[in-house]
Amino acid sequence: MKLAFIDILAICLLNGCTIFLLWKEDRCSSLILIPYQAWLMFALALNGSIVYLN
């Protein structure tokens, strides 16, 4: 479970960097990635709570 948390955290950070870097180039592409970032944050919170409770 801890490895899954680290994996989701890495994907979340990389997606955040992608959104930040694409913002200057193509705002439409970065805006499309925002719901995915929200979903990743939700998955990270769920996984973090499971890791904490176990």
Side-chain angles (χ1 to χ4, degrees):
M1 282 295 186
K2 291 181 183 178
L3 291 177
F5 181 79
I6 294 169
D7 186 35
I8 297 171
L9 181 63
I11 294 171
C12 190
L13 290 173
L14 289 173
N15 191 51
C17 290
T18 303
I19 291 171
F20 178 74
L21 293 175
L22 279 178
W23 189 259
K24 296 176 185 176
E25 299 291 324
D26 187 13
R27 287 195 180 187
C28 183
S29 297
S30 62
L31 289 174
I32 288 172
L33 288 173
I34 290 176
Y36 180 57
Q37 182 72 16
W39 175 254
L40 285 172
M41 296 296 286
F42 179 67
L44 186 68
L46 284 177
N47 195 291
S49 66
I50 290 171
V51 168
Y52 177 75
L53 291 174
N54 282 336

Short mmCIF file of all heavy atoms in Angstrom, two decimals:
data_model
loop_
_atom_site.label_atom_id
_atom_site.label_comp_id
_atom_site.label_asym_id
_atom_site.label_seq_id
_atom_site.Cartn_x
_atom_site.Cartn_y
_atom_site.Cartn_z
N MET A 1 0.81 -1.20 0.00
CA MET A 1 0.00 0.00 0.00
C MET A 1 0.85 1.27 0.00
O MET A 1 0.49 2.25 -0.61
CB MET A 1 -0.93 0.02 1.21
CG MET A 1 -2.12 -0.85 1.09
SD MET A 1 -3.16 -0.24 -0.22
CE MET A 1 -4.54 -1.30 -0.02
N LYS A 2 1.97 1.22 0.71
CA LYS A 2 2.81 2.41 0.76
C LYS A 2 3.43 2.71 -0.61
O LYS A 2 3.62 3.86 -0.97
CB LYS A 2 3.90 2.26 1.80
CG LYS A 2 3.36 2.25 3.21
CD LYS A 2 4.45 2.12 4.23
CE LYS A 2 3.85 2.03 5.62
NZ LYS A 2 4.86 1.85 6.65
N LEU A 3 3.73 1.65 -1.36
CA LEU A 3 4.28 1.87 -2.70
C LEU A 3 3.25 2.49 -3.62
O LEU A 3 3.59 3.33 -4.46
CB LEU A 3 4.78 0.55 -3.28
CG LEU A 3 6.03 -0.04 -2.62
CD1 LEU A 3 6.37 -1.38 -3.23
CD2 LEU A 3 7.19 0.92 -2.72
N ALA A 4 1.98 2.10 -3.46
CA ALA A 4 0.92 2.70 -4.27
C ALA A 4 0.77 4.18 -3.93
O ALA A 4 0.55 5.01 -4.82
CB ALA A 4 -0.39 1.96 -4.05
N PHE A 5 0.89 4.52 -2.65
CA PHE A 5 0.81 5.92 -2.24
C PHE A 5 1.94 6.73 -2.87
O PHE A 5 1.71 7.83 -3.39
CB PHE A 5 0.87 6.01 -0.71
CG PHE A 5 0.76 7.42 -0.19
CD1 PHE A 5 -0.46 8.05 -0.11
CD2 PHE A 5 1.89 8.12 0.20
CE1 PHE A 5 -0.57 9.35 0.35
CE2 PHE A 5 1.80 9.41 0.67
CZ PHE A 5 0.57 10.02 0.74
N ILE A 6 3.14 6.18 -2.85
CA ILE A 6 4.29 6.87 -3.44
C ILE A 6 4.11 7.01 -4.96
O ILE A 6 4.43 8.04 -5.54
CB ILE A 6 5.60 6.12 -3.10
CG1 ILE A 6 5.85 6.22 -1.60
CG2 ILE A 6 6.77 6.68 -3.87
CD1 ILE A 6 6.95 5.32 -1.09
N ASP A 7 3.55 5.98 -5.57
CA ASP A 7 3.31 6.01 -7.02
C ASP A 7 2.29 7.09 -7.38
O ASP A 7 2.51 7.87 -8.31
CB ASP A 7 2.83 4.64 -7.48
CG ASP A 7 2.69 4.53 -8.97
OD1 ASP A 7 3.51 5.14 -9.68
OD2 ASP A 7 1.77 3.84 -9.43
N ILE A 8 1.19 7.14 -6.65
CA ILE A 8 0.17 8.16 -6.92
C ILE A 8 0.73 9.55 -6.65
O ILE A 8 0.44 10.50 -7.39
CB ILE A 8 -1.10 7.90 -6.09
CG1 ILE A 8 -1.75 6.57 -6.48
CG2 ILE A 8 -2.11 9.03 -6.26
CD1 ILE A 8 -2.88 6.14 -5.58
N LEU A 9 1.53 9.68 -5.61
CA LEU A 9 2.14 10.97 -5.30
C LEU A 9 3.06 11.43 -6.43
O LEU A 9 3.04 12.60 -6.83
CB LEU A 9 2.92 10.88 -3.99
CG LEU A 9 3.60 12.15 -3.50
CD1 LEU A 9 2.57 13.24 -3.22
CD2 LEU A 9 4.42 11.86 -2.27
N ALA A 10 3.84 10.50 -6.98
CA ALA A 10 4.74 10.85 -8.08
C ALA A 10 3.95 11.27 -9.32
O ALA A 10 4.29 12.26 -9.98
CB ALA A 10 5.64 9.66 -8.41
N ILE A 11 2.89 10.54 -9.64
CA ILE A 11 2.05 10.89 -10.79
C ILE A 11 1.40 12.26 -10.57
O ILE A 11 1.32 13.08 -11.49
CB ILE A 11 0.99 9.80 -11.05
CG1 ILE A 11 1.67 8.51 -11.48
CG2 ILE A 11 0.00 10.25 -12.11
CD1 ILE A 11 0.72 7.33 -11.54
N CYS A 12 0.96 12.50 -9.35
CA CYS A 12 0.32 13.78 -9.03
C CYS A 12 1.31 14.94 -9.19
O CYS A 12 0.96 15.98 -9.76
CB CYS A 12 -0.20 13.71 -7.61
SG CYS A 12 -1.24 15.07 -7.14
N LEU A 13 2.52 14.76 -8.72
CA LEU A 13 3.53 15.82 -8.86
C LEU A 13 3.92 16.05 -10.32
O LEU A 13 4.05 17.19 -10.76
CB LEU A 13 4.77 15.47 -8.03
CG LEU A 13 4.59 15.52 -6.52
CD1 LEU A 13 5.84 14.99 -5.82
CD2 LEU A 13 4.28 16.92 -6.06
N LEU A 14 4.08 14.96 -11.06
CA LEU A 14 4.43 15.11 -12.47
C LEU A 14 3.31 15.75 -13.27
O LEU A 14 3.56 16.57 -14.17
CB LEU A 14 4.79 13.75 -13.06
CG LEU A 14 6.12 13.16 -12.58
CD1 LEU A 14 6.28 11.74 -13.10
CD2 LEU A 14 7.27 14.03 -13.01
N ASN A 15 2.07 15.40 -12.95
CA ASN A 15 0.94 16.02 -13.64
C ASN A 15 0.86 17.51 -13.28
O ASN A 15 0.57 18.34 -14.15
CB ASN A 15 -0.36 15.30 -13.29
CG ASN A 15 -1.50 15.74 -14.16
OD1 ASN A 15 -1.39 15.74 -15.37
ND2 ASN A 15 -2.61 16.09 -13.54
N GLY A 16 1.12 17.85 -12.04
CA GLY A 16 1.14 19.26 -11.65
C GLY A 16 2.22 20.04 -12.38
O GLY A 16 1.99 21.16 -12.82
N CYS A 17 3.39 19.43 -12.54
CA CYS A 17 4.47 20.08 -13.30
C CYS A 17 4.08 20.24 -14.77
O CYS A 17 4.38 21.27 -15.38
CB CYS A 17 5.75 19.27 -13.19
SG CYS A 17 6.50 19.33 -11.56
N THR A 18 3.42 19.24 -15.31
CA THR A 18 2.97 19.31 -16.70
C THR A 18 1.97 20.44 -16.90
O THR A 18 2.05 21.20 -17.87
CB THR A 18 2.35 17.98 -17.15
OG1 THR A 18 3.30 16.94 -16.96
CG2 THR A 18 1.92 18.02 -18.59
N ILE A 19 1.03 20.57 -15.97
CA ILE A 19 0.04 21.65 -16.05
C ILE A 19 0.75 23.00 -15.98
O ILE A 19 0.45 23.91 -16.76
CB ILE A 19 -1.00 21.51 -14.93
CG1 ILE A 19 -1.88 20.30 -15.17
CG2 ILE A 19 -1.86 22.77 -14.81
CD1 ILE A 19 -2.81 19.96 -14.02
N PHE A 20 1.69 23.12 -15.06
CA PHE A 20 2.42 24.39 -14.90
C PHE A 20 3.21 24.75 -16.15
O PHE A 20 3.20 25.89 -16.60
CB PHE A 20 3.35 24.28 -13.68
CG PHE A 20 4.17 25.51 -13.45
CD1 PHE A 20 3.59 26.65 -12.93
CD2 PHE A 20 5.52 25.52 -13.75
CE1 PHE A 20 4.33 27.80 -12.72
CE2 PHE A 20 6.28 26.65 -13.54
CZ PHE A 20 5.69 27.79 -13.02
N LEU A 21 3.91 23.76 -16.72
CA LEU A 21 4.74 24.05 -17.89
C LEU A 21 3.91 24.27 -19.15
O LEU A 21 4.31 25.03 -20.03
CB LEU A 21 5.73 22.90 -18.11
CG LEU A 21 6.80 22.76 -17.03
CD1 LEU A 21 7.64 21.52 -17.28
CD2 LEU A 21 7.67 24.00 -16.98
N LEU A 22 2.76 23.60 -19.26
CA LEU A 22 1.92 23.78 -20.45
C LEU A 22 1.11 25.07 -20.40
O LEU A 22 0.58 25.49 -21.43
CB LEU A 22 0.97 22.60 -20.61
CG LEU A 22 1.51 21.34 -21.25
CD1 LEU A 22 0.44 20.26 -21.28
CD2 LEU A 22 2.00 21.61 -22.65
N TRP A 23 0.98 25.67 -19.23
CA TRP A 23 0.13 26.85 -19.08
C TRP A 23 0.58 27.98 -20.00
O TRP A 23 -0.24 28.66 -20.60
CB TRP A 23 0.13 27.31 -17.63
CG TRP A 23 -0.87 28.38 -17.37
CD1 TRP A 23 -0.64 29.71 -17.26
CD2 TRP A 23 -2.28 28.21 -17.21
NE1 TRP A 23 -1.80 30.38 -17.03
CE2 TRP A 23 -2.83 29.49 -16.99
CE3 TRP A 23 -3.13 27.11 -17.22
CZ2 TRP A 23 -4.20 29.68 -16.78
CZ3 TRP A 23 -4.48 27.31 -17.01
CH2 TRP A 23 -4.99 28.58 -16.80
N LYS A 24 1.89 28.13 -20.15
CA LYS A 24 2.40 29.20 -21.00
C LYS A 24 2.28 28.86 -22.49
O LYS A 24 2.10 29.74 -23.32
CB LYS A 24 3.87 29.47 -20.66
CG LYS A 24 4.06 29.99 -19.27
CD LYS A 24 5.53 30.15 -18.95
CE LYS A 24 5.72 30.55 -17.51
NZ LYS A 24 7.13 30.62 -17.15
N GLU A 25 2.40 27.58 -22.80
CA GLU A 25 2.38 27.14 -24.20
C GLU A 25 0.96 27.02 -24.75
O GLU A 25 0.64 27.56 -25.80
CB GLU A 25 3.09 25.79 -24.35
CG GLU A 25 4.54 25.80 -23.94
CD GLU A 25 5.40 26.60 -24.87
OE1 GLU A 25 5.14 26.58 -26.09
OE2 GLU A 25 6.34 27.25 -24.37
N ASP A 26 0.13 26.24 -24.04
CA ASP A 26 -1.21 25.94 -24.54
C ASP A 26 -2.16 25.80 -23.35
O ASP A 26 -2.17 24.77 -22.67
CB ASP A 26 -1.17 24.64 -25.36
CG ASP A 26 -2.48 24.35 -26.05
OD1 ASP A 26 -3.34 25.25 -26.10
OD2 ASP A 26 -2.64 23.21 -26.52
N ARG A 27 -2.92 26.83 -23.08
CA ARG A 27 -3.79 26.82 -21.91
C ARG A 27 -4.89 25.78 -22.00
O ARG A 27 -5.30 25.24 -20.99
CB ARG A 27 -4.40 28.20 -21.69
CG ARG A 27 -3.39 29.17 -21.19
CD ARG A 27 -4.03 30.40 -20.65
NE ARG A 27 -2.95 31.27 -20.18
CZ ARG A 27 -3.16 32.37 -19.52
NH1 ARG A 27 -4.37 32.76 -19.28
NH2 ARG A 27 -2.14 33.09 -19.12
N CYS A 28 -5.36 25.50 -23.20
CA CYS A 28 -6.42 24.51 -23.36
C CYS A 28 -5.94 23.14 -22.88
O CYS A 28 -6.67 22.43 -22.19
CB CYS A 28 -6.87 24.46 -24.81
SG CYS A 28 -8.23 23.34 -25.10
N SER A 29 -4.74 22.78 -23.23
CA SER A 29 -4.19 21.49 -22.80
C SER A 29 -4.03 21.42 -21.29
O SER A 29 -4.31 20.39 -20.68
CB SER A 29 -2.83 21.24 -23.46
OG SER A 29 -2.97 21.15 -24.85
N SER A 30 -3.58 22.50 -20.70
CA SER A 30 -3.41 22.48 -19.24
C SER A 30 -4.76 22.49 -18.53
O SER A 30 -4.90 21.85 -17.49
CB SER A 30 -2.55 23.65 -18.79
OG SER A 30 -3.17 24.87 -19.11
N LEU A 31 -5.75 23.15 -19.09
CA LEU A 31 -7.07 23.14 -18.48
C LEU A 31 -7.73 21.76 -18.55
O LEU A 31 -8.47 21.38 -17.65
CB LEU A 31 -7.98 24.18 -19.15
CG LEU A 31 -7.65 25.63 -18.85
CD1 LEU A 31 -8.53 26.56 -19.68
CD2 LEU A 31 -7.81 25.94 -17.38
N ILE A 32 -7.43 21.02 -19.60
CA ILE A 32 -7.97 19.67 -19.73
C ILE A 32 -7.38 18.75 -18.66
O ILE A 32 -8.04 17.82 -18.20
CB ILE A 32 -7.70 19.13 -21.15
CG1 ILE A 32 -8.60 19.86 -22.15
CG2 ILE A 32 -7.92 17.64 -21.24
CD1 ILE A 32 -8.31 19.56 -23.58
N LEU A 33 -6.15 19.01 -18.22
CA LEU A 33 -5.51 18.17 -17.22
C LEU A 33 -5.94 18.47 -15.79
O LEU A 33 -5.65 17.68 -14.89
CB LEU A 33 -3.99 18.31 -17.33
CG LEU A 33 -3.35 17.65 -18.54
CD1 LEU A 33 -1.87 18.01 -18.61
CD2 LEU A 33 -3.53 16.16 -18.51
N ILE A 34 -6.63 19.56 -15.56
CA ILE A 34 -7.03 19.93 -14.20
C ILE A 34 -8.01 18.93 -13.58
O ILE A 34 -7.82 18.55 -12.41
CB ILE A 34 -7.54 21.38 -14.16
CG1 ILE A 34 -6.37 22.32 -14.38
CG2 ILE A 34 -8.23 21.69 -12.83
CD1 ILE A 34 -6.73 23.78 -14.47
N PRO A 35 -9.03 18.43 -14.29
CA PRO A 35 -9.89 17.41 -13.67
C PRO A 35 -9.13 16.12 -13.33
O PRO A 35 -9.41 15.47 -12.32
CB PRO A 35 -10.97 17.14 -14.71
CG PRO A 35 -11.00 18.35 -15.54
CD PRO A 35 -9.61 18.88 -15.55
N TYR A 36 -8.16 15.76 -14.16
CA TYR A 36 -7.33 14.59 -13.87
C TYR A 36 -6.51 14.82 -12.60
O TYR A 36 -6.35 13.91 -11.78
CB TYR A 36 -6.43 14.29 -15.06
CG TYR A 36 -5.54 13.10 -14.89
CD1 TYR A 36 -6.05 11.85 -14.58
CD2 TYR A 36 -4.16 13.22 -15.03
CE1 TYR A 36 -5.23 10.76 -14.42
CE2 TYR A 36 -3.33 12.13 -14.87
CZ TYR A 36 -3.87 10.90 -14.57
OH TYR A 36 -3.04 9.82 -14.40
N GLN A 37 -6.03 16.05 -12.43
CA GLN A 37 -5.28 16.37 -11.21
C GLN A 37 -6.18 16.27 -9.99
O GLN A 37 -5.76 15.77 -8.94
CB GLN A 37 -4.67 17.78 -11.32
CG GLN A 37 -3.85 18.20 -10.14
CD GLN A 37 -2.53 17.49 -10.04
OE1 GLN A 37 -2.07 16.87 -10.98
NE2 GLN A 37 -1.92 17.55 -8.88
N ALA A 38 -7.41 16.73 -10.12
CA ALA A 38 -8.36 16.62 -9.00
C ALA A 38 -8.63 15.16 -8.67
O ALA A 38 -8.70 14.79 -7.48
CB ALA A 38 -9.66 17.34 -9.36
N TRP A 39 -8.78 14.33 -9.68
CA TRP A 39 -9.01 12.91 -9.45
C TRP A 39 -7.79 12.26 -8.78
O TRP A 39 -7.92 11.44 -7.87
CB TRP A 39 -9.33 12.20 -10.77
CG TRP A 39 -9.46 10.73 -10.61
CD1 TRP A 39 -8.57 9.80 -11.01
CD2 TRP A 39 -10.53 10.03 -9.99
NE1 TRP A 39 -9.03 8.56 -10.68
CE2 TRP A 39 -10.23 8.66 -10.05
CE3 TRP A 39 -11.72 10.43 -9.38
CZ2 TRP A 39 -11.06 7.69 -9.53
CZ3 TRP A 39 -12.55 9.46 -8.87
CH2 TRP A 39 -12.23 8.12 -8.94
N LEU A 40 -6.60 12.65 -9.19
CA LEU A 40 -5.39 12.12 -8.56
C LEU A 40 -5.30 12.54 -7.10
O LEU A 40 -4.89 11.75 -6.25
CB LEU A 40 -4.15 12.60 -9.32
CG LEU A 40 -3.86 11.94 -10.65
CD1 LEU A 40 -2.72 12.67 -11.35
CD2 LEU A 40 -3.52 10.48 -10.48
N MET A 41 -5.67 13.76 -6.80
CA MET A 41 -5.65 14.22 -5.41
C MET A 41 -6.65 13.45 -4.56
O MET A 41 -6.37 13.11 -3.41
CB MET A 41 -5.94 15.72 -5.34
CG MET A 41 -4.89 16.58 -6.02
SD MET A 41 -3.28 16.50 -5.26
CE MET A 41 -3.57 17.45 -3.80
N PHE A 42 -7.82 13.16 -5.12
CA PHE A 42 -8.82 12.36 -4.42
C PHE A 42 -8.30 10.95 -4.17
O PHE A 42 -8.43 10.41 -3.07
CB PHE A 42 -10.12 12.33 -5.24
CG PHE A 42 -11.21 11.51 -4.62
CD1 PHE A 42 -11.80 11.90 -3.44
CD2 PHE A 42 -11.65 10.35 -5.24
CE1 PHE A 42 -12.81 11.14 -2.87
CE2 PHE A 42 -12.64 9.59 -4.68
CZ PHE A 42 -13.23 9.99 -3.49
N ALA A 43 -7.69 10.34 -5.19
CA ALA A 43 -7.13 8.99 -5.04
C ALA A 43 -6.00 8.99 -4.02
O ALA A 43 -5.85 8.05 -3.24
CB ALA A 43 -6.64 8.49 -6.39
N LEU A 44 -5.20 10.05 -4.01
CA LEU A 44 -4.11 10.16 -3.05
C LEU A 44 -4.66 10.26 -1.63
O LEU A 44 -4.13 9.62 -0.70
CB LEU A 44 -3.25 11.38 -3.37
CG LEU A 44 -2.00 11.58 -2.56
CD1 LEU A 44 -0.98 10.49 -2.85
CD2 LEU A 44 -1.40 12.94 -2.85
N ALA A 45 -5.72 11.02 -1.44
CA ALA A 45 -6.33 11.15 -0.11
C ALA A 45 -6.92 9.81 0.35
O ALA A 45 -6.77 9.42 1.51
CB ALA A 45 -7.41 12.22 -0.12
N LEU A 46 -7.60 9.11 -0.55
CA LEU A 46 -8.16 7.80 -0.19
C LEU A 46 -7.06 6.81 0.16
O LEU A 46 -7.15 6.09 1.17
CB LEU A 46 -9.00 7.25 -1.34
CG LEU A 46 -10.37 7.85 -1.55
CD1 LEU A 46 -11.03 7.23 -2.76
CD2 LEU A 46 -11.23 7.65 -0.33
N ASN A 47 -6.03 6.77 -0.67
CA ASN A 47 -4.95 5.83 -0.41
C ASN A 47 -4.20 6.21 0.86
O ASN A 47 -3.80 5.33 1.63
CB ASN A 47 -3.99 5.81 -1.61
CG ASN A 47 -3.08 4.63 -1.59
OD1 ASN A 47 -2.21 4.54 -0.75
ND2 ASN A 47 -3.29 3.73 -2.54
N GLY A 48 -4.01 7.49 1.08
CA GLY A 48 -3.35 7.92 2.31
C GLY A 48 -4.13 7.56 3.56
O GLY A 48 -3.55 7.16 4.57
N SER A 49 -5.44 7.66 3.49
CA SER A 49 -6.25 7.28 4.65
C SER A 49 -6.18 5.77 4.90
O SER A 49 -6.17 5.34 6.05
CB SER A 49 -7.69 7.73 4.48
OG SER A 49 -8.31 7.03 3.41
N ILE A 50 -6.13 4.99 3.83
CA ILE A 50 -6.01 3.53 4.00
C ILE A 50 -4.66 3.17 4.60
O ILE A 50 -4.55 2.33 5.49
CB ILE A 50 -6.23 2.82 2.64
CG1 ILE A 50 -7.68 2.93 2.22
CG2 ILE A 50 -5.81 1.36 2.73
CD1 ILE A 50 -7.95 2.46 0.82
N VAL A 51 -3.60 3.82 4.13
CA VAL A 51 -2.26 3.57 4.68
C VAL A 51 -2.22 3.98 6.15
O VAL A 51 -1.67 3.26 6.98
CB VAL A 51 -1.19 4.33 3.87
CG1 VAL A 51 0.16 4.34 4.57
CG2 VAL A 51 -1.06 3.72 2.48
N TYR A 52 -2.84 5.08 6.49
CA TYR A 52 -2.85 5.57 7.87
C TYR A 52 -3.62 4.63 8.79
O TYR A 52 -3.19 4.34 9.90
CB TYR A 52 -3.43 6.98 7.92
CG TYR A 52 -3.55 7.53 9.31
CD1 TYR A 52 -2.42 7.96 10.00
CD2 TYR A 52 -4.78 7.62 9.95
CE1 TYR A 52 -2.52 8.45 11.29
CE2 TYR A 52 -4.89 8.13 11.23
CZ TYR A 52 -3.76 8.53 11.89
OH TYR A 52 -3.87 9.02 13.16
N LEU A 53 -4.77 4.16 8.31
CA LEU A 53 -5.61 3.31 9.16
C LEU A 53 -5.06 1.88 9.32
O LEU A 53 -5.41 1.19 10.26
CB LEU A 53 -7.03 3.26 8.61
CG LEU A 53 -7.81 4.57 8.72
CD1 LEU A 53 -9.15 4.45 8.02
CD2 LEU A 53 -8.00 4.95 10.18
N ASN A 54 -4.24 1.47 8.37
CA ASN A 54 -3.63 0.14 8.52
C ASN A 54 -2.35 0.30 9.27
O ASN A 54 -1.67 -0.39 9.74
CB ASN A 54 -3.37 -0.50 7.15
CG ASN A 54 -4.65 -1.07 6.58
OD1 ASN A 54 -5.57 -1.38 7.29
ND2 ASN A 54 -4.68 -1.19 5.27
#
